C-alpha cells in the first residue's frame, strides 16, 4: 500500500470539519487497507497508545529543523521565522506549520528533479520504528540521517505529512470514537456495531489490535475479546445523584457503600514478577510508586489485575495526609527520597482478573469476596464498605467517611447484573460527595481550548482560560465558560509552560467555539483542569448541550473557579455533555 493513499486521506480530513464526511474518508481508507497493515494505519492516524511506553516516533522540533536546513540548504533562522518561532513577525504574515513549509520547499526543489517513486506505508513506518530505537551517543545524527533519507525520497505531500507525524501534530481532527465508528461501518456495514467495538476497546485498550482482530476474524471475535494482562482496561466510572434516597431507589433499595478515598486511581497488573501500574488516563505510574509495586508483588498469586485508590498516608500513625502530597510522587526523579518523604497507601476496591480468569462479568459481591481473600492488610487495605438498605445507615456511614478524612462514598450496585463495566459511566456506581450536601454541587473537569493574556500583575501570563466539555456523540469539545479566578501566580506560570506545546494558529477542528468568543491564544485540546462554579446556567452564547433545555441556549457555568490541573485525565475524560445535563437537572431539583 502506498503512503500516498494515507496522505490523501489526511488531506481530505484536513479539509473538512464535517464529522460524517470525515467518517466517510476513514471508511474508504480502511476498505483499501490490506489486513496486515490495518493496525499500522490506525497507529499512524491516531498515534500509538501511550501506555505501550514506546519512545515517541518524533524528534525534537529543533532537530527536525536542523535536518530540513541541511537537506534543503535553507538557514535554520529562516525556517524558524517561517514557522513563527521568532517573535516580532508581522501578524499579517501567517505562520505555517513545519510540515506544510517542508512540503512547499520540496515542491520547489522537485521541479528540477526526477519524480521519486511513491513511498510505501511499510517503508515509512519501519523508518519511524527504527528512529525510535536510536538512543545514546550518536542517536541524534542517526535520526537526522533517517529523516533526511525519507525526505529525499518523498514527494511534497508525503514530506509534509512525514514531518507532521514525527512532530506528533497531524491535526486531522480524528480521535478514537470517530475511528471506532468508521471501523464499524467499514467492516460490518452497520454503524450500530460501534458499541461492540467500543466495548472491546474498553477491555483491551489498543485500537490497532482491535482493528486487526476485526479484519481477520470479524465482529463476533470482537464481542468475546479477552483481557490481555499488561494491556490496560479502561476504568469503570461513577454517576452522581443528589440524595441517598435517590441513590437507594436507583440501586434497587439496597447497595454496598464504600469510602470514597481522595487520591489517585491505580490499576495494577501483576504477571509473575512483572508489575505495571496504570493511572486514570492509562499512563504508566510503575516507576513512581515502587512501594505500591512491592505491595502488589507481595500478593501471593501469579496473575492479577486490581484497582484501588492510592492516597497520601502516614503509615506509622495510620492517618490520611493531604492530597497535594501525592503530587510529589508523580515526578520521575529522586523517587526513593519521595517514597520515604511522602508515604502512600493503596485502598483496593475491585478485582478484574485473577490467574487466567476474568472477573469483569462477575457480580460486585463475587468480586469483592475474592478481593478480600487476597488482601492481607500490609501496605494495602480493601476499601471500607457496608451494605445498607435505608437512608439512615447510609447517612451514618457517609458521615463516618467524612470524619475519617474521605470525600464521601461511592454506592455500588449489588444486584445480579452488577458487573465491572469497563470504560462506562453508568448507574452501577454512584458517587455521593460531601460537597453535594453543602449545596455546592460537584466540580467539573474542562479541557483548556483558549486563553486570554493577563493584565497588570499578570501581564505576560494567561489571565483567563476557556474551558470545554467533551461531547461523546459528536467527538467534539464544546466550550462552556471562561475561567478567570482561583489562579495563583505559580499556577499561571505552570500554564505558560504546560500549554505552550499546544498553541495553535487556527481553531482545532474538534473544538466548538462560539463565534462571538475570540481568545487571544488557541490551544489544541490536551490539558484538563478541574473547576467549581456557583451554578450551571442557561446561556445563549455557549453551545454545550445546546437546545437541550431551551431553544437557542446552551449551558454555561457561573463564576467558575480554578481548582487544580488534572494530570491524570485525557481530554476525553473531561466532563461530558450528558454529565453536565445531569448536573444541571440535579441542581434544579434542590
Ligand atoms: P471520574 O473518575 O468519575 O471521572 P473524578 O476523577 O473527577 O471523576 P470523582 O468524581 O471525585 O473523581 O470520583 C470518582 C473517583 O473516585 C474514581 O475514579 C476513583 O479514583 C475514586 N475512588 C475513591 N474511592 C473509590 C472507591 N471505593 N470505589 C471506586 N472509586 C473510588
Amino acid at each position: 500500500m502506498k503512503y500516498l493513499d494515507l496522505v490523501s486521506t489526511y488531506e481530505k480530513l484536513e479539509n473538512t470539519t464535517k464529522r460524517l464526511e470525515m467518517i466517510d474518508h476513514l471508511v474508504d481508507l480502511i476498505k483499501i487497507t490490506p489486513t496486515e497493515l490495518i493496525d499500522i494505519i490506525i497507529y499512524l492516524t491516531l498515534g500509538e497508545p501511550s501506555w505501550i511506553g514506546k519512545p515517541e516516533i518524533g524528534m525534537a522540533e529543533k532537530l527536525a529543523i536542523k535536518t530540513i536546513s541541511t537537506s534543503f540548504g535553507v538557514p535554520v533562522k529562516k525556517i524558524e521565522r517561517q514557522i513563527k518561532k521568532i517573535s516580532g513577525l508581522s501578524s499579517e504574515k501567517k505562520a505555517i506549520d513545519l510540515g506544510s513549509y517542508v512540503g512547499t520547499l520540496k515542491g520547489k526543489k522537485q521541479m528540477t528533479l526526477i519524480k521519486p517513486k511513491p513511498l510505501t506505508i511499510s517503508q515509512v513506518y519501519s523508518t519511524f520504528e527504527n528512529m525510535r530505537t536510536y538512543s545514546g551517543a550518536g542517536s541524534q545524527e542517526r535520526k537526522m540521517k533517517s529523516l533526511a533519507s525519507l525526505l529525499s525520497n518523498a514527494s511534497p505531500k508525503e514530506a509534509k505529512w512525514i514531518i507532521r507525524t514525527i512532530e506528533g501534530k497531524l491535526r486531522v481532527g480524528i480521535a478514537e470514537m470517530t475511528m471506532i465508528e468508521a471501523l464499524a461501518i467499514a467492516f460490518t456495514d452497520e454503524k450500530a456495531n460501534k458499541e461492540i467495538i467500543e466495548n472491546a476497546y474498553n477491555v483491551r485498550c489498543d485500537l490497532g489490535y482491535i482493528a486487526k482482530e476485526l479484519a481477520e476474524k470479524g465482529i463476533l471475535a470482537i464481542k468475546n475479546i479477552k483481557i490481555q494482562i499488561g494491556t490496560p482496561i479502561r476504568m469503570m466510572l461513577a454517576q452522581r445523584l443528589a440524595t441517598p434516597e435517590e441513590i437507594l431507589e436507583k440501586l434497587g433499595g439496597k447497595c454496598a457503600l464504600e469510602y470514597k478515598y481522595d487520591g489517585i486511581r491505580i490499576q495494577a497488573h501483576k504477571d509473575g514478577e512483572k508489575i505495571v501500574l496504570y493511572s486514570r488516563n492509562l499512563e504508566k505510574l510503575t516507576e513512581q510508586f515502587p512501594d505500591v509495586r512491592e505491595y502488589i508483588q507481595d500478593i501471593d498469586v501469579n496473575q492479577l489485575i486490581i484497582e484501588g485508590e492510592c492516597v497520601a498516608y502516614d503509615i506509622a500513625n495510620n492517618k490520611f495526609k493531604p492530597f497535594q502530597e501525592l503530587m510529589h510522587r508523580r515526578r520521575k526523579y529522586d523517587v526513593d527520597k519521595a517514597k520515604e518523604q511522602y508515604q502512600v497507601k493503596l485502598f483496593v476496591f475491585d478485582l478484574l482478573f485473577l490467574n487466567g480468569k476474568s472477573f469483569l462479568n462477575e457480580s460486585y459481591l463475587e468480586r469483592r469476596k475474592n478481593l478480600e481473600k487476597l488482601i492481607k492488610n500490609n501496605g494495602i487495605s480493601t476499601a471500607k464498605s457496608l451494605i445498607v438498605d435505608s437512608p439512615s445507615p447510609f447517612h451514618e456511614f457517609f458521615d463516618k467517611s467524612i470524619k475519617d478524612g474521605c470525600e464521601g462514598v461511592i454506592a455500588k450496585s449489588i444486584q445480579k447484573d452488577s458487573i465491572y463495566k469497563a470504560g462506562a459511566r453508568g448507574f452501577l456506581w454512584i458517587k455521593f460527595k460531601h460537597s453535594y450536601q453543602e449545596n455546592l454541587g460537584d466540580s467539573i473537569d474542562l479541557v483548556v481550548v483558549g486563553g486570554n493574556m493577563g493584565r497588570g500583575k499578570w501581564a505576560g501570563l494567561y489571565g483567563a482560560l476557556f474551558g470545554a466539555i467533551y461531547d461523546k456523540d459528536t467527538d467534539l469539545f464544546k466550550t462552556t465558560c471562561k475561567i478567570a479566578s482561583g489562579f495563583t501566580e505559580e499556577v499561571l506560570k505552570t500554564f505558560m509552560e504546560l500549554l505552550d506545546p499546544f498553541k495553535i494558529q487556527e481553531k482545532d477542528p474538534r473544538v466548538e467555539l462560539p463565534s462571538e468568543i475570540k481568545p487571544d491564544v488557541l490551544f489544541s485540546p490536551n490539558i484538563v483542569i478541574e473547576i467549581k462554579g456557583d451554578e450551571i446556567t442557561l446561556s445563549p452564547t455557549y453551545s454545550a448541550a445546546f437546545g437541550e433545555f431551551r431553544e437557542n441556549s446552551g449551558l454555561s457555568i457561573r463564576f467558575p473557579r480554578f481548582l487544580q490541573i488534572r494530570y491524570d485525565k485525557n481530554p476525553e475524560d473531561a466532563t461530558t455533555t450528558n454529565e453536565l445535563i445531569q448536573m444541571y437537572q440535579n441542581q434544579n431539583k434542590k
Side-chain angles (χ1 to χ4, degrees):
M1 183 178 180
K2 291 195 214 96
Y3 183 53
L4 215 48
D5 292 327
L6 180 59
V7 160
S8 72
T9 306
Y10 288 157
E11 299 256 312
K12 286 182 204 154
L13 292 172
E14 192 187 18
N15 288 322
T16 178
T17 51
K18 296 202 178 89
R19 187 160 182 267
L20 290 180
E21 279 180 21
M22 287 180 170
I23 292 175
D24 283 347
H25 298 316
L26 288 174
V27 170
D28 292 344
L29 174 70
I30 296 166
K31 283 189 170 164
I32 59 161
T33 303
T35 303
E36 69 274 14
L37 291 180
I38 186 76
D39 46 351
I40 293 180
I41 290 290
I42 303 281
Y43 297 143
L44 283 174
T45 311
L46 291 179
E48 255 149 297
S50 62
W51 56 262
I52 288 185
K54 274 196 197 174
E56 307 240 322
I57 292 180
M59 41 164 65
E61 188 170 67
K62 261 200 153 54
L63 201 59
I65 292 178
K66 214 166 137 193
T67 314
I68 294 159
S69 163
T70 321
S71 300
F72 295 92
V74 182
V76 166
K77 283 265 174 292
K78 185 170 175 196
I79 303 177
E80 287 180 337
R81 211 175 306 123
Q82 293 293 337
I83 62 163
K84 210 178 180 178
K85 277 282 137 182
I86 289 177
S87 53
L89 189 77
S90 80
S91 58
E92 314 87 73
K93 211 168 164 197
K94 219 170 136 201
I96 61 170
D97 69 275
L98 190 59
S100 305
Y101 177 64
V102 170
T104 321
L105 280 180
K106 190 81 205 181
K108 281 186 199 151
K109 197 163 179 187
Q110 194 161 285
M111 284 192 256
T112 59
L113 290 175
I114 315 158
K115 263 196 170 171
K117 246 174 66 189
L119 295 167
T120 64
I121 297 276
S122 313
Q123 204 178 347
V124 174
Y125 191 68
S126 67
T127 311
F128 289 157
E129 285 289 276
N130 288 338
M131 281 167 70
R132 292 186 214 253
T133 60
Y134 302 150
S135 63
S139 63
Q140 294 208 344
E141 287 71 21
R142 292 174 79 193
K143 278 191 179 183
M144 284 174 69
K145 221 170 136 197
S146 296
L147 178 62
S149 136
L150 204 53
L151 288 178
S152 79
N153 291 317
S155 67
K157 271 189 191 166
E158 289 168 334
K160 165 178 162 185
W161 291 97
I162 285 168
I163 292 293
R164 284 193 176 184
T165 307
I166 66 153
E167 280 205 295
K169 291 179 184 164
L170 275 193
R171 297 192 212 136
V172 288
I174 299 297
E176 279 81 2
M177 288 310 141
T178 306
M179 185 60 91
I180 286 175
E181 195 165 328
L183 285 169
I185 299 170
F187 285 117
T188 73
D189 273 333
E190 189 65 67
K191 182 174 140 184
N193 283 332
K194 71 178 180 183
E195 263 181 48
I196 300 175
I197 303 175
E198 188 186 338
N199 287 341
Y201 177 59
N202 287 338
V203 172
R204 193 159 167 161
C205 190
D206 179 347
L207 211 48
Y209 173 83
I210 303 280
K212 198 136 194 189
E213 284 287 288
L214 249 180
E216 282 173 357
K217 303 182 188 150
I219 194 83
L220 274 181
I222 291 298
K223 265 191 184 160
N224 300 313
I225 203 95
K226 299 261 183 314
I227 290 176
Q228 168 75 16
I229 193 150
T231 301
I233 298 166
R234 296 185 79 213
M235 297 185 189
M236 177 166 174
L237 303 169
Q239 278 282 8
R240 34 172 103 59
L241 282 176
T243 62
E245 288 72 11
E246 273 177 276
I247 295 176
L248 276 166
E249 195 192 326
K250 190 84 182 176
L251 296 176
K254 194 172 178 183
C255 68
L257 294 182
E258 286 181 4
Y259 274 16
K260 182 178 183 308
Y261 299 92
D262 189 12
I264 54 174
R265 189 162 176 176
I266 285 191
Q267 187 179 92
H269 290 231
K270 175 178 202 258
D271 191 6
E273 294 288 298
K274 195 166 184 266
I275 312 281
V276 191
L277 308 176
Y278 288 110
S279 69
R280 168 80 171 69
N281 55 347
L282 313 185
E283 268 173 19
K284 284 190 184 161
L285 290 176
T286 324
E287 276 174 45
Q288 291 97 311
F289 291 96
D291 33 6
V292 177
R293 211 162 63 208
E294 279 162 29
Y295 299 147
I296 305 286
Q297 192 66 65
D298 280 350
I299 303 175
D300 194 18
V301 293
N302 194 31
Q303 285 187 318
L304 182 72
I305 304 178
I306 52 175
E307 265 185 21
E309 192 81 353
C310 176
V311 297
Y313 204 76
D314 174 350
I315 295 178
N317 298 306
N318 254 333
K319 266 202 186 129
F320 290 105
K321 305 274 282 175
F323 173 84
Q324 282 69 19
E325 292 209 354
L326 271 179
M327 288 299 113
H328 299 280
R329 295 295 306 267
R330 291 193 76 92
R331 61 183 195 213
K332 288 192 179 152
Y333 56 91
D334 274 349
V335 169
D336 285 331
K337 207 165 135 202
K339 176 182 129 184
E340 294 312 320
Q341 221 173 339
Y342 305 103
Q343 293 180 328
V344 296
K345 179 163 175 140
L346 187 70
F347 289 90
V348 288
F349 51 74
D350 225 314
L351 169 68
L352 281 57
F353 189 80
L354 177 62
N355 289 336
K357 176 178 161 43
S358 166
F359 274 73
L360 297 187
N361 288 328
E362 301 295 334
S363 69
Y364 168 83
L365 291 174
E366 188 62 24
R367 301 200 308 278
R368 177 87 195 186
K369 187 176 84 194
N370 282 280
L371 185 64
E372 281 171 4
K373 279 194 223 155
L374 296 171
I375 306 301
K376 304 272 184 307
N377 285 329
N378 43 10
I380 297 186
S381 294
T382 39
K384 213 175 173 98
S385 74
L386 179 74
I387 297 198
V388 296
D389 59 4
S390 67
S392 143
F394 190 123
H395 282 287
E396 265 170 42
F397 189 79
F398 173 79
D399 290 344
K400 200 159 174 306
S401 80
I402 304 298
K403 219 173 109 223
D404 285 350
C406 290
E407 275 187 304
V409 295
I410 305 228
K412 298 185 173 179
S413 166
I414 52 171
Q415 308 294 325
K416 271 209 182 85
D417 64 352
S418 56
I419 60 170
Y420 183 98
K421 252 185 150 195
R425 191 185 292 281
F427 280 100
L428 291 174
W429 287 7
I430 305 173
K431 46 193 176 192
F432 186 68
K433 295 194 209 177
H434 191 42
S435 55
Y436 303 179
Q437 278 217 322
E438 290 173 342
N439 228 0
L440 292 171
D442 206 351
S443 59
I444 295 174
D445 298 321
L446 299 175
V447 184
V448 180
V449 295
N452 279 349
M453 298 315 292
R455 292 202 199 108
K457 66 172 179 166
W458 286 347
L461 300 170
Y462 299 118
L465 297 174
F466 291 87
I469 55 164
Y470 177 55
D471 189 75
K472 199 173 164 206
D473 290 340
T474 53
D475 207 3
L476 293 176
F477 296 97
K478 303 198 170 190
T479 311
T480 188
C481 66
K482 181 167 103 177
I483 307 110
S485 76
F487 301 121
T488 59
E489 191 172 338
E490 196 189 336
V491 163
L492 289 179
K493 282 186 179 153
T494 307
F495 276 125
M496 288 314 279
E497 256 176 62
L498 202 63
L499 290 166
D500 191 59
F502 307 117
K503 265 190 203 165
I504 42 177
Q505 304 290 329
E506 277 172 45
K507 188 182 72 62
D508 188 282
R510 290 179 71 209
V511 172
E512 226 176 67
L513 192 67
S515 53
E516 307 87 303
I517 289 173
K518 302 209 170 10
D520 296 339
V521 188
L522 294 167
F523 305 111
S524 59
N526 282 280
I527 302 298
V528 178
I529 58 172
E530 186 173 343
I531 63 119
K532 191 139 203 181
D534 275 1
E535 64 173 332
I536 303 169
T537 53
L538 289 168
S539 153
T541 313
Y542 291 101
S543 66
F546 201 75
E548 193 70 34
F549 295 100
R550 187 187 296 160
E551 219 182 317
N552 296 324
S553 281
L555 291 179
S556 181
I557 296 149
R558 202 159 71 90
F559 294 137
R561 293 175 298 281
F562 168 83
L563 295 180
Q564 61 167 332
I565 300 170
R566 290 296 302 253
Y567 292 101
D568 64 336
K569 287 204 164 186
N570 287 331
E572 288 83 3
D573 299 323
T575 298
T576 60
T577 306
N578 287 343
E579 282 181 88
L580 194 69
I581 290 174
Q582 251 179 14
M583 290 165 97
Y584 181 69
Q585 286 166 336
N586 284 348
Q587 161 193 299
N588 291 347
K589 265 188 222 156
K590 286 181 184 161

